[in-house]
Amino acid sequence: MDSRKAMLMEMQKLIHEYSQMGNQLTNINKELVWQELNLTDEEAPSLSSENLSPASIKAIEKIVKDNMMGLFHDFMCLVDGVSDPNEIDNDGVWLGLQIKPKHLLPEQELEDEHSELMLHDEVYDSYWNWKDQFGENDDKNG
């Protein structure tokens, strides 16, 4: 399987796995949610087997899966350069990014890569940048 197909297949697998949250919804553990998102004492008990039927859990899982598919689609549009991020350098021109298998990278790019943070290392830290600029009311708006 080529690298591109393997990555997209893995993305679909992860979307499916992360959307299967019935157990998390009915047996909520506030420590399992990233602490910065802060489930409140009112929110946590509202997610219980007494409040959610099996059909409502399945519906929530489908909505979450659909939202994650949309997230990855929109992210890939940014990567492909067919949509623009809000903040653009280079005189307002966004050309997208290129993701390619590491074995195709020139030796210098591989050396430079080791001196930078990898994308997955920046995911949670980038939350604070977003929150500072756009998300001051994100918890109140759902």
Side-chain angles (χ1 to χ4, degrees):
M1 181 180 309
D2 70 36
S3 297
R4 184 184 192 112
K5 186 173 182 179
M7 182 190 77
L8 292 169
M9 294 290 287
E10 185 67 16
M11 178 192 74
Q12 291 296 334
K13 181 185 106 178
L14 291 169
I15 287 170
H16 176 76
E17 289 173 358
Y18 277 75
S19 69
Q20 303 304 297
M21 59 180 43
N23 191 45
Q24 284 179 293
L25 288 172
T26 57
N27 299 304
I28 194 71
N29 180 349
K30 287 173 63 171
E31 276 88 51
L32 293 181
V33 176
W34 187 42
Q35 68 183 5
E36 304 307 333
L37 297 180
N38 296 326
L39 274 182
T40 67
D41 290 334
E42 180 183 357
E43 292 166 338
S46 73
L47 300 171
S48 69
S49 56
E50 293 85 39
N51 295 330
L52 297 172
S53 70
S56 62
I57 290 169
K58 194 55 149 170
I60 291 168
E61 289 174 341
K62 288 179 179 180
I63 291 167
V64 168
K65 185 180 276 191
D66 181 66
N67 282 331
M68 284 192 282
M69 293 279 292
L71 164 82
F72 275 104
H73 175 268
D74 291 353
F75 178 75
M76 296 302 179
C77 285
L78 287 170
V79 171
D80 290 338
V82 298
S83 67
D84 298 327
N86 287 330
E87 299 294 319
I88 304 173
D89 289 336
N90 303 326
D91 298 322
V93 177
W94 175 255
L95 300 175
L97 299 172
Q98 188 174 41
I99 299 174
K100 55 186 167 182
K102 288 187 177 187
H103 72 275
L104 297 178
L105 294 175
E107 189 173 317
Q108 183 60 46
E109 283 186 55
L110 283 172
E111 289 175 15
D112 292 345
E113 182 181 272
H114 294 298
S115 65
E116 296 178 12
L117 282 176
M118 297 181 82
L119 289 173
H120 72 273
D121 293 327
E122 297 181 56
V123 170
Y124 287 98
D125 290 341
S126 68
Y127 172 80
W128 297 110
N129 296 331
W130 170 82
K131 188 168 177 84
D132 289 345
Q133 188 161 358
F134 302 108
E136 61 275 351
N137 294 318
D138 67 305
D139 293 332
K140 294 170 187 71
N141 294 327

